[in-house]
Amino acid sequence: MALALFLSLIALGITRPVPTNTCVISGIAGSAVLYTVKQTLTVSEVIEVLEVLLIFVYLSLILLFLLPRCFTPGEALIIVGGISFVINQLIKRSLNASEAKGDPVNYFLLVAVVGSLLLGIFFALLFCFMESETWVSSLFFHMMTAVLGLGIILPWLALLISRHPIMWLLDFMLHSQTRLYLLGYWVFLAALASVVVLHQNTKRSSESKKHQASTLVRKYFHLIVVATYVPGLIYDRQLLHVASVGCLVVFLLLEYTRYFRIRPMGQLLRQLLTLFLDERDSGPLILTHIYLLLGMSLPIWLFPGPCTPKGTLPGAGALVPYAGVLAVGVGDTVASVFGSTLGEIRWPGTKKTVEGTATSIFAQVIAVALLLIFDSTVNLNTSYSWIVGSITLVSLLEAYTSQIDNLMLPLYLFVLLMM
């Protein structure tokens, strides 16, 4: 990871200056890490690491050169690093498809992410040479999306899972009555979120001056996401895993439609979403809502993983799947609402308040207590001090970080709970 950081800083130098000392320190750290682990890696593992780093460097060059204002350095590291790992895993499993035996849910994530990325790169290159706002281009966009989806992505997934993906998905969703109830409940919450968006845009059109959604209004979506994820985590985590991947694909397709102004929805999406922009959405892409989805979903996608082959961890590790809910859904929401309304004492050098951080810690502790009541699989084994310490550290990070907290905070809490 230190080597990846060093290479990414070199890539950052193409689009923006970075401190020379940072590059030097990162290079020394990367060399130290490589020297330490050189005796523990096999030749095949070294080749795989170099493959991931090669993908990482080229993706960094492409994203940071074409979209220099869309990502902070920290966000670029996480997004590009994650995509590099997913591409590597998909190539590795595709080459061994005949011998591959695994959960189709995991293959669904890999193919969905890589397929959506390839779709975006294809249209980004295509619309460099043709106008994207005409009806002809929009019709071509929809046709090519269908062709690429049905002709490449679905057969690719079918090769990996040895079943027709649509039939597998139907069987998966209809597996139990609980899944049908959860799906109906999630459809209701999606409709409720759409009503909030339309209502806020109606207020903007009815007022003479420009109306912008307040922090309190934006946190409505955090509460809706918490109401979405908590029942899924308690009753059916596999369904939540698949549903979150499908939601990510839908969000990316809608962002492509908005960014390229694809008719008939492109211009409408631009009008609806600009109401909820803040100062962090300074580039041509709107990524805040996608970061929120990723922050809530990454702990679920990463757990269980190679480090937890049995699917469970003792003590604080039992809360790992809830890292996104605690850090973003509860902590960040409470800190923003109480900090902006009641906060008076500010942390040095920031706009965040001590009152917001304190209420954030308290709310997350209460949330952990509620999880102990409603989720019988959570067994903390008296590791309460470590949990409170981890929550406190993440709350302090929320007060001081300049990155997108929707993406950063769950990953930090995830790592702390895994320790």
Side-chain angles (χ1 to χ4, degrees):
M1 294 304 298
L3 179 61
L5 175 63
F6 177 61
L7 294 174
S8 66
L9 288 173
I10 295 176
L12 284 171
I14 296 176
T15 55
R16 63 185 70 184
V18 295
T20 304
N21 292 337
T22 305
C23 292
V24 173
I25 293 173
S26 300
I28 295 174
S31 302
V33 170
L34 288 178
Y35 181 79
T36 302
V37 303
K38 69 176 184 178
Q39 302 297 334
T40 63
L41 296 178
T42 64
V43 175
S44 61
E45 290 171 337
V46 171
I47 294 174
E48 187 170 353
V49 169
L50 292 177
E51 179 186 346
V52 173
L53 290 176
L54 184 64
I55 299 172
F56 179 90
V57 171
Y58 276 102
L59 282 177
S60 298
L61 294 174
I62 294 171
L63 288 179
L64 297 175
F65 181 75
L66 295 179
L67 303 169
R69 292 181 295 122
C70 291
F71 306 97
T72 64
E75 295 154 17
L77 279 174
I78 291 179
I79 295 298
V80 179
I83 294 174
S84 303
F85 178 75
V86 166
I87 292 175
N88 168 260
Q89 288 296 304
L90 186 57
I91 293 174
K92 183 179 177 180
R93 298 187 187 190
S94 298
L95 294 176
N96 300 319
S98 60
E99 305 175 1
K101 291 182 181 180
D103 192 346
V105 172
N106 297 326
Y107 292 109
F108 182 64
L109 171 64
L110 299 178
V111 174
V113 171
V114 175
S116 302
L117 178 66
L118 292 176
L119 197 66
I121 294 176
F122 172 78
F123 286 117
L125 295 175
L126 177 65
F127 291 132
C128 287
F129 304 99
M130 60 184 295
E131 181 63 39
S132 63
E133 300 181 36
T134 64
W135 276 108
V136 175
S137 298
S138 299
L139 180 62
F140 184 74
F141 174 88
H142 296 303
M143 290 179 58
M144 288 304 301
T145 300
V147 168
L148 292 174
L150 298 176
I152 297 179
I153 297 175
L154 284 184
W156 198 349
L157 182 57
L159 174 68
L160 293 172
I161 67 176
S162 301
R163 284 193 61 186
H164 194 283
I166 296 179
M167 298 305 299
W168 166 77
L169 188 60
L170 288 175
D171 292 341
F172 180 82
M173 292 189 299
L174 300 176
H175 182 264
S176 66
Q177 196 74 19
T178 302
R179 290 186 175 177
L180 293 177
Y181 290 145
L182 279 174
L183 289 172
Y185 171 66
W186 290 339
V187 169
F188 167 75
L189 291 179
L192 180 62
S194 301
V195 169
V196 173
V197 174
L198 294 174
H199 175 67
Q200 291 298 317
N201 277 271
T202 302
K203 289 178 61 177
R204 178 173 63 176
S205 61
S206 63
E207 295 179 359
S208 57
K209 60 181 181 179
K210 184 178 180 181
H211 174 71
Q212 198 71 17
S214 63
T215 300
L216 182 61
V217 171
R218 287 198 292 268
K219 296 308 173 182
Y220 285 161
F221 298 101
H222 286 232
L223 296 177
I224 292 174
V225 169
V226 170
T228 301
Y229 275 73
V230 170
L233 285 167
I234 294 176
Y235 295 108
D236 198 327
R237 294 183 184 180
Q238 273 203 324
L239 179 64
L240 181 61
H241 188 291
V242 173
S244 59
V245 173
C247 191
L248 175 63
V249 173
V250 171
F251 276 17
L252 291 175
L253 290 177
L254 290 176
E255 180 58 21
Y256 295 157
T257 302
R258 185 206 66 83
Y259 176 71
F260 295 119
R261 294 186 174 91
I262 302 299
R263 297 187 179 189
M265 295 292 294
Q267 192 59 38
L268 177 62
L269 288 173
R270 280 180 173 264
Q271 295 173 359
L272 293 176
L273 295 181
T274 52
L275 176 67
F276 299 94
L277 296 180
D278 58 18
E279 65 276 2
R280 296 173 296 186
D281 289 309
S282 58
L285 300 179
I286 299 178
L287 299 173
T288 305
H289 60 295
I290 298 178
Y291 285 155
L292 175 60
L293 175 65
L294 288 175
M296 300 291 289
S297 303
L298 281 174
I300 303 167
W301 297 346
L302 296 173
F303 180 90
C307 56
T308 58
K310 296 182 181 179
T312 57
L313 285 174
L319 292 174
V320 164
Y322 291 95
V325 173
L326 292 173
V328 175
V330 177
D332 182 48
T333 302
V334 171
S336 297
V337 173
F338 280 85
S340 60
T341 56
L342 303 176
E344 295 182 358
I345 305 173
R346 301 192 181 277
W347 291 105
T350 72
K351 297 180 180 179
K352 306 297 179 66
T353 63
V354 175
E355 293 86 349
T357 303
T359 51
S360 171
I361 297 171
F362 179 73
Q364 290 179 76
V365 172
I366 295 298
V368 171
L370 293 175
L371 290 176
L372 285 172
I373 297 174
F374 291 102
D375 191 346
S376 59
T377 63
V378 176
N379 182 13
L380 301 183
N381 292 343
T382 68
S383 56
Y384 302 109
S385 58
W386 181 257
I387 293 172
V388 174
S390 301
I391 289 174
T392 302
L393 289 175
V394 172
S395 299
L396 291 174
L397 175 67
E398 188 274 335
Y400 277 96
T401 183
S402 60
Q403 316 296 324
I404 296 289
D405 45 18
N406 291 345
L407 184 62
M408 296 292 179
L409 300 183
L411 290 177
Y412 276 96
L413 184 58
F414 179 91
V415 172
L416 290 173
L417 294 175
M418 290 282 286
M419 295 176 64

